[in-house]
Amino acid sequence: MKIRLLIAALGILLSAGCAGRRHTSGINTTDILSRAAEQYKVLAATTPAGRFPKSTTADGKLETSGSEWWCSGFYPGTLLYLYEQTKDGSLKSEALRRLKSLEKEQYNTATHDLGFMMFCSFGNANRLNPDDAYKQILLNSAKSLSTRFNPTIGCIKSWDSKNPSDFLVIIDNMMNLELLFWASRESGDPRFREIALIHANTTMKHHFRPDHSSYHVINYDAKTGQPKQKRTAQGAANESAWSRGQAWGLYGFTVMFRETKDQKYLAQAEAIADFMLKHANFPADKVPYWDFNAPGIPNALRDASAAAITASALLELAGYVPARSAWYKQTAASMLMRLSSNDYLAAPGTNAGFLLKHSVGHLPAKSEVDVPLSYADYYFVEALIRLKKS
Ligand code: GLY
């Protein structure tokens, strides 16, 4: 009798444990993350040495890049997140192999994307296993990024231009500031943090419209520091709201609040969230069209990457705004639920080893349209982990 009671009690405990893995949103984050880990082994097996998964070609084959491409840090970063969740050592060794090929980018001063490239990769490696070698690489990366800061403009230069009077800054650049905050904390040198603050303040002043949507590109006059052109590159039109750009802004200003506790950054992040989540063209299933003003809505393409970045940002923002916490969490959970459905999450072994289908890289250039993208996967995994912990 006692043994039967013991077995029954054990059964109840075990089933409670299993149910516990299923988040209140209804998403079984543990199962999806395990499935993601298996899928990334497919990607690992097909990615040539020294290369980084980027997307797929028109015929569905894996497309890779060298370490200099802005997305090179996402693959090792995703592997590290998945290793952290599964403790599968093969994911860690694959990540460490790729970090070796990425290391040289610490001295790259020709890009503003060093935050993406080095903090998503070495930042996660150092978080999991603090190491002086990683720290030095990250500090060198922050120094390289800082060389692109111009005090007259008050921004880090995003893209180089043939015209010396141009100074081009894109909203995406908000994502590179987290590395600078880390560098000031680590080194005690306040300069990195100051650059991040000035860049964010200039961006707040010039990148946003009265409705809190953002332009993609601001071209500042290199002499006066004043904007001379506000336009798009990857969006549908100069005056449209390119979805991933809105997501980068949301995530970037959420990080600004995390790092400074300055209410103005929180207000900015909330205003961006309002613009996105209350927009008439924000679909019921919460996966944004590639541009909020895309021609052809409701038949326009969706962008899974914008959904993944937004979900991850909202889950962090939810922790800072008690009054909106439930709304942000629910929206993020709906996004992740939809991204975890068969329509977006690739069947095991398909999609060239990537997790998500249906992202849009650069539609006006007809590049990376309706394809998997390494950063969609990175922020999807990050958001799942954030949801699991919430
Ligand atoms: N320029 C980075 C992006 O496509 O979001």
Side-chain angles (χ1 to χ4, degrees):
M1 184 63 185
K2 265 189 196 154
I3 288 179
R4 248 188 272 153
L5 270 175
L6 206 64
I7 290 171
L10 204 62
I12 290 166
L13 273 177
L14 280 175
S15 62
C18 291
R21 289 198 315 241
R22 187 179 289 278
H23 191 268
T24 46
S25 62
I27 304 177
N28 193 328
T29 47
T30 305
D31 278 0
I32 298 170
L33 288 163
S34 305
R35 177 172 159 182
E38 290 310 305
Q39 179 77 340
Y40 257 48
K41 290 182 191 170
V42 176
L43 200 50
T46 48
T47 303
R51 304 287 297 172
F52 296 83
K54 185 179 175 216
S55 182
T56 53
T57 56
D59 56 357
K61 299 245 165 60
L62 174 66
E63 189 184 11
T64 63
S65 75
S67 61
E68 73 293 342
W69 179 241
W70 75 276
C71 301
S72 52
F74 294 120
Y75 173 58
T78 307
L79 288 164
L80 289 167
Y81 272 145
L82 293 173
Y83 162 70
E84 189 181 9
Q85 291 301 310
T86 61
K87 300 290 175 271
D88 183 328
S90 70
L91 299 168
K92 183 177 174 187
S93 7
E94 168 67 355
L96 298 187
R97 258 194 303 278
R98 303 294 164 173
L99 288 186
K100 267 277 149 235
S101 312
L102 185 57
E103 211 174 285
K104 58 182 173 297
E105 300 304 329
Q106 65 188 294
Y107 302 114
N108 186 345
T109 55
T111 177
H112 73 135
D113 286 318
L114 284 173
F116 282 126
M117 294 158 72
M118 309 306 272
F119 204 66
C120 296
S121 54
F122 286 96
N124 271 313
N126 187 57
R127 182 177 60 79
L128 293 177
N129 177 28
D131 183 309
D132 285 346
Y134 294 150
K135 287 183 179 134
Q136 196 52 54
I137 289 167
L138 287 164
L139 281 175
N140 289 340
S141 305
K143 280 183 198 154
S144 298
L145 177 59
S146 302
T147 64
R148 298 181 69 81
F149 179 71
N150 179 321
T152 306
I153 315 288
C155 273
I156 295 164
K157 186 196 279 181
S158 294
W159 295 335
D160 296 332
S161 166
K162 285 191 191 109
N163 182 345
S165 79
D166 287 350
F167 192 99
L168 300 165
V169 182
I170 61 174
I171 187 67
D172 324 27
N173 209 342
M174 285 301 302
M175 298 294 287
N176 293 305
L177 306 183
E178 194 175 357
L179 168 67
L180 299 180
F181 283 106
W182 176 90
S184 270
R185 260 200 314 278
E186 186 60 36
S187 66
D189 180 349
R191 208 173 49 102
F192 303 111
R193 179 187 168 89
E194 277 158 19
I195 289 174
L197 293 173
I198 296 170
H199 181 98
N201 294 343
T202 307
T203 300
M204 263 176 79
K205 192 164 169 200
H206 295 304
H207 248 96
F208 288 88
R209 304 184 182 99
D211 66 0
H212 304 291
S213 67
S214 56
Y215 288 94
H216 185 197
V217 187
I218 306 292
N219 187 0
Y220 292 93
D221 185 313
K223 280 211 183 74
T224 66
Q226 288 310 301
K228 55 178 181 174
Q229 190 188 26
K230 300 189 174 196
R231 64 173 174 86
T232 198
Q234 286 165 253
N238 288 340
E239 290 299 329
S240 76
W242 173 51
S243 296
R244 198 165 51 256
Q246 313 312 304
W248 292 142
L250 176 69
Y251 195 117
F253 281 98
T254 302
V255 170
M256 286 304 296
F257 178 71
R258 181 211 302 158
E259 295 291 348
T260 64
K261 297 292 173 275
D262 185 331
Q263 291 295 324
K264 73 171 182 267
Y265 299 128
L266 185 62
Q268 185 71 25
E270 286 182 55
I272 299 169
D274 271 354
F275 172 82
M276 297 178 81
L277 308 189
K278 293 179 181 171
H279 197 287
N281 289 340
F282 188 51
D285 72 359
K286 319 278 187 228
V287 177
Y289 296 102
W290 71 276
D291 190 299
F292 280 88
N293 309 102
I297 287 175
N299 298 316
L301 289 171
R302 306 298 188 91
D303 179 11
S305 77
I309 298 156
T310 303
S312 189
L314 286 174
L315 286 167
E316 178 170 3
L317 191 56
Y320 305 142
V321 199
R324 290 160 165 241
S325 175
W327 179 38
Y328 291 160
K329 268 192 205 161
Q330 248 162 34
T331 307
S334 300
M335 286 172 152
L336 293 174
M337 186 76 121
R338 183 73 182 120
L339 293 181
S340 302
S341 72
N342 290 339
D343 287 341
Y344 285 93
L345 188 61
T350 67
N351 206 32
F354 289 99
L355 307 179
L356 292 179
K357 304 178 274 185
H358 305 309
S359 287
V360 173
H362 191 334
L363 192 137
K366 296 188 172 57
S367 164
E368 298 178 336
V369 177
D370 200 16
V371 289
L373 289 168
S374 59
Y375 47 96
D377 286 4
Y378 177 87
Y379 290 102
F380 175 58
V381 168
E382 183 181 86
L384 285 170
I385 295 171
R386 287 180 173 184
L387 182 66
K388 188 178 167 187
K389 288 181 179 164
S390 72

